[in-house]
Amino acid sequence: MSKVIVFDHPLIKHKLTFIRDINTGSKEFRELVTEISTLMGYEVTRNMPLKEIEIETPMGKTKSQVIAGKKVGLVPILRAGLGMVDGMLNLLPAARVGHIGLYRDPETFKPVEYYCKLPQDVSERELILLDPMLATGGSAVAAIQFLKDRGAKSIKLVNLIAAPEGIEAVQNAHPDVDIYVASIDERLDDHKYIVPGLGDAGDRLFGTK
Ligand code: PRP
Ligand code: URA
């Protein structure tokens, strides 16, 4: 069974409060999503392998560590996942970025795919799938399957806010994928929106309705 890592850092909790707030406009919302993503990225990358190299400081030669292992790929689920890309790139500036376009049909609540462009060497990368909201889990389950169908072997899912139903759906469908969330909220409403949540993440990021 995959792990669920819930963040308890005070800075993340503080910033989450303001992205939930209905009075926070798109500019501030975008900035806060970027900041939270960077803070989460710090933990998501915690187990990256290191290797030792030799360098020369002004005082002489020494051995020191650098990141080794697989290269990273960031994969935002369009649209709302785009809001998390810059925050992650702050920590991982050399990461390649793939895109998966999915929207949730408002009547069936099922994900509809409309775009996919991934790095060619997706099977050799540690993939970090980004989406602020994990509601029913339909979009994340489909996106992960999408990546696996194209050869992906290592995937982590990063969400800002998750519903218990979404976590269960991802764990059941993809027990090999660890889930990183800033908050697990109470429940879904009749329209499958997360309560208390933050509303529609895409609309709040991009000022649409
Ligand atoms: C939102 C969100 C997730 C999905 C979550 O996207 O960003 O992708 O809904 O719901 P689920 O877990 O029930 O699938 P939306 O469909 O609103 O598209 P958008 O990002 O283009 O606004
Ligand atoms: N998509 C969102 O943007 N918000 C929710 O609460 C659920 C799905």
Side-chain angles (χ1 to χ4, degrees):
M1 181 62 74
S2 63
K3 281 186 285 182
V4 181
I5 298 96
V6 186
F7 291 76
D8 62 358
H9 196 288
L11 282 175
I12 293 181
K13 289 184 187 230
H14 175 88
K15 290 174 195 296
L16 262 186
T17 299
F18 292 98
I19 61 166
R20 291 182 189 279
D21 191 330
I22 193 171
N23 295 311
T24 299
S26 286
K27 176 178 179 289
E28 198 186 345
F29 188 93
R30 275 196 295 273
E31 289 166 358
L32 287 165
V33 169
T34 296
E35 289 167 17
I36 297 169
S37 303
T38 303
L39 291 168
M40 291 181 81
Y42 190 73
E43 195 58 35
V44 173
T45 53
R46 173 174 290 282
N47 294 321
M48 279 186 150
L50 293 164
K51 66 178 179 191
E52 209 162 54
I53 61 167
E54 193 171 274
I55 56 162
E56 197 170 344
T57 79
M59 311 306 292
K61 286 194 172 151
T62 186
K63 292 205 165 100
S64 196
Q65 292 181 319
V66 293
I67 300 286
K70 287 187 182 174
K71 291 176 279 185
V72 174
L74 303 177
V75 184
I77 300 180
L78 305 180
R79 288 176 302 167
L82 286 175
M84 299 176 72
V85 173
D86 284 351
M88 287 281 170
L89 284 174
N90 285 337
L91 292 179
L92 299 162
R96 296 277 166 90
V97 183
H99 296 84
I100 295 179
L102 288 177
Y103 71 87
R104 202 176 69 165
D105 184 292
E107 265 145 41
T108 64
F109 310 120
K110 300 271 181 255
V112 182
E113 175 211 326
Y114 61 90
Y115 187 75
C116 179
K117 184 81 181 175
L118 299 171
Q120 271 186 343
D121 55 355
V122 87
S123 60
E124 289 153 36
R125 290 183 181 265
E126 303 262 6
L127 299 180
I128 303 177
L129 185 61
L130 304 171
D131 195 330
M133 311 305 278
L134 181 64
T136 65
S139 303
V141 167
I144 293 166
Q145 193 57 52
F146 224 74
L147 295 173
K148 287 183 175 176
D149 290 346
R150 283 154 184 79
K153 295 188 185 69
S154 166
I155 305 170
K156 293 183 168 89
L157 173 64
V158 185
N159 306 113
L160 302 191
I161 299 181
E165 293 89 330
I167 290 180
E168 197 183 328
V170 172
Q171 285 191 311
N172 286 338
H174 300 291
D176 55 319
V177 174
D178 289 342
I179 308 169
Y180 295 78
V181 290
S183 172
I184 301 178
D185 278 13
E186 281 165 39
R187 62 185 173 87
L188 298 176
D189 72 2
D190 294 343
H191 303 284
K192 308 288 184 202
Y193 271 75
I194 301 174
V195 180
L198 52 72
D200 188 300
D203 285 345
R204 296 205 57 191
L205 272 167
F206 299 113
T208 48
K209 194 86 192 107

